[in-house]
Amino acid sequence: MRHLLIYMKSYRKEAALAPLFKMLEAILELFVPLVIARLIDRGIGGGNRIYIFQMCAILIVLGMVGLGFSITAQFFAAKAAVEFVKNVKYALFSHIQRLSYGEIDTFGTATMITRMTSDMNQVQTGVNLTLRLLLRSPFVVFGAMIMAFTIDRRMAMIFVVMIPALCVVVFAIMLVGIPLYRRVQNKLDGLLFITKENLEGVRVIRAFCKEEEERKKFREQNRTLTQSQLFAGKISAIMNPATYIVVNAAVIMLLYTGALRIEGGLLTQGAVVALYNYLTQILVELLKMANLIITVTKSIASGNRIYEMLRDGGGEENHTTGVPVSEAAKSEPYIRFDHVSMSYANAADEALTDISFTVNKGETVGIIGGTGSGKSTLVNLLPCFYKANAGTVSIAGRDVKAYAVEELRTLFGIVPQKAVLFQGTIRSNLQWGKEQATEEEMLDALELAQIGDYVRMPQIGLDHRVSQEGRNFSGGQRQRLTIARAFVRRPEILILDDSASALDFATDARLRKAIREMDYHPTTFIVSQRTSSIQFADKIIVLDDGLAVGIGTHEELLESCEVYREIYDSQFKKEEKVS
């Protein structure tokens, strides 16, 4: 948690003023019992009404000034806490944006969401209460004890015994509570993961009638979380009764001893009332301190979880200032895979094994293979979404790991397997490809992607609304819009990762023809399970269980590669039989 305090640097003034004003409020609060003691002994005891009114006026002034100090402290504490968490959120979000695909897979989306939301709220509450109470409560406790000594030393010894006993209770519960609340937050990750999975896969769940099974899974995870929270809450709940036992025992001793000393003429009634008030102040402050410790315990657990994510990962940051693309050697072949192997984190087997091939500038490369053969993994190595465990992936004669990441990715136009659109308009989504794209460039890209006629309709247009995840478009329309987004930037390297799976054969054929007839010739990688989509490629790479079992043209592979021939025959011979 302490590692996060660097994000408080800009708000050190607020962080200092908040406890300062709370201390001033506490000083005024410590004078109140003395004023009440004099009011009782001199005013009420002596029947002096003027003195009573004077003391009441002093109490009102102390209350009003203390309220002003308290509000000021609350303002500075709230401002410091909110701004601190804003900085941490920005740092964490920026860090997540720099995580590689592998690191995102390792952390998991549910964990990242929990740390950006629930954990951040816990930290904000903890910082706010810490600035307000961390110094004030101990100051009032020990200040009250010192003031008790100024009234009567013998009676003050009750405070000396009570305060350490209370501290033992409070800190013992705190030490037990910290790991418990950390476990609660981890279980919250699990519940959020199940919730996210259900929301994303709601159609699949309903299609397979798995609603009741998923409800049981959710109830079980929720029950586990609830039990952990209840156990942690029960441990924390011990604090109030335990502190009340100690304080009430001290109150009994105070009243009994005070009565004896008043009877002996050694103490006044006002002094006993003042001591009782100090005892009450200590009780209130220690209860505040107990609640503060519970909150801080949660906050520390959450802060440590946030720091773990900030500390770990960020693999892409290692070469954000690498060699500019412009300084790369313009050599042939343009792209080279040299004995490349790659495996995912915690995977038993390699996703790719000893892959070697070259690609010249402007060539079209088809990649085909069965499900799980490593097609998407291979193309994801080019923009350095994943890093090879062995071998070298190079572009223009230089290892992709040596490039500045942002510059490297400006070379690419990527259409992922899942068509992802963002809430906004068609125009704003196309501008992800090129921020300063003109309307003519956008319309040209839409024409190439075979969706120009649809967008040119009077009721549509570039400013047509795109709902969240593009749900107001069909699957084929979403795919063609994501293809247009890649085209609009006119990339040097175009990656189409099974991006035509939702298109009919005629539209797919027109799209491939449009790519071949583009006025410039990007180096194109087409990942597909259809041989018809890649048969005209300059080079076809056939993958089987992570191995390149064939590399060549369509005709060459039909002769030499059994895997490719089986895929081709399974698609075309069936169609011939049907016809």
Side-chain angles (χ1 to χ4, degrees), residues 24 84 104 191 246 266 375 381 392 414 440 498 509 576 579:
L24 293 174
F84 165 69
I104 290 173
L191 185 67
V246 175
L266 300 173
K375 304 185 295 296
L381 293 176
T392 305
I414 301 171
E440 183 180 354
D498 204 12
E576 289 172 6
S579 61

Side-chain angles (χ1 to χ4, degrees), residues 1-9 84 88 91 300 303-304 306-308 310-311:
M1 176 68 182
R2 67 179 182 276
H3 299 286
L4 298 180
L5 295 179
I6 58 172
Y7 300 104
M8 184 73 85
K9 282 184 178 179
F84 165 69
V88 177
I300 290 172
N304 289 339
I306 293 168
Y307 177 67
E308 284 171 10
L310 282 170
R311 179 193 62 200

Side-chain angles (χ1 to χ4, degrees), residues 335 357-360 362-368 378-379 382 494-496 522-528 533-534 536-542 551-552:
I335 294 172
F357 64 89
T358 60
V359 180
N360 293 326
E363 283 188 336
T364 297
V365 180
I367 302 173
I368 195 168
L378 189 146
V379 293
L382 284 165
L494 178 64
I495 296 176
L496 304 175
T523 305
T524 305
F525 288 81
I526 301 175
V527 177
S528 181
S533 297
I534 61 169
F536 298 108
D538 299 303
K539 185 178 294 179
I540 298 171
I541 301 169
V542 185
I551 298 176

Side-chain angles (χ1 to χ4, degrees), residues 416-432:
Q417 279 182 317
K418 182 181 178 182
V420 178
L421 295 174
F422 296 90
Q423 189 171 7
T425 63
I426 293 175
R427 185 191 303 275
S428 66
N429 273 273
L430 293 179
Q431 285 173 335
W432 278 69

Side-chain angles (χ1 to χ4, degrees), residues 242-273:
T243 51
Y244 270 113
I245 288 171
V246 175
V247 171
N248 284 328
V251 169
I252 292 169
M253 286 296 298
L254 179 71
L255 295 177
Y256 177 75
T257 307
L260 294 177
R261 291 180 72 76
I262 289 171
E263 188 176 356
L266 300 173
L267 206 63
T268 64
Q269 292 177 343
V272 173
V273 171

Side-chain angles (χ1 to χ4, degrees), residues 46-67:
N48 189 338
R49 291 188 177 183
I50 295 175
Y51 192 78
I52 292 172
F53 285 123
Q54 287 175 344
M55 291 298 103
C56 287
I58 291 173
L59 287 174
I60 291 170
V61 171
L62 289 174
M64 295 297 292
V65 175
L67 177 64

Side-chain angles (χ1 to χ4, degrees), residues 318-382:
N318 296 337
H319 61 297
T320 51
T321 56
V323 177
V325 171
S326 57
E327 294 181 14
K330 301 299 181 183
S331 60
E332 292 290 349
Y334 183 51
I335 294 172
R336 179 189 294 275
F337 276 64
D338 186 13
H339 298 286
V340 172
S341 297
M342 186 269 173
S343 59
Y344 292 100
N346 303 318
D349 300 317
E350 289 184 328
L352 294 173
T353 303
D354 198 28
I355 303 293
S356 295
F357 64 89
T358 60
V359 180
N360 293 326
K361 197 174 182 68
E363 283 188 336
T364 297
V365 180
I367 302 173
I368 195 168
T371 302
S373 59
K375 304 185 295 296
S376 296
T377 302
L378 189 146
V379 293
N380 281 331
L381 293 176
L382 284 165

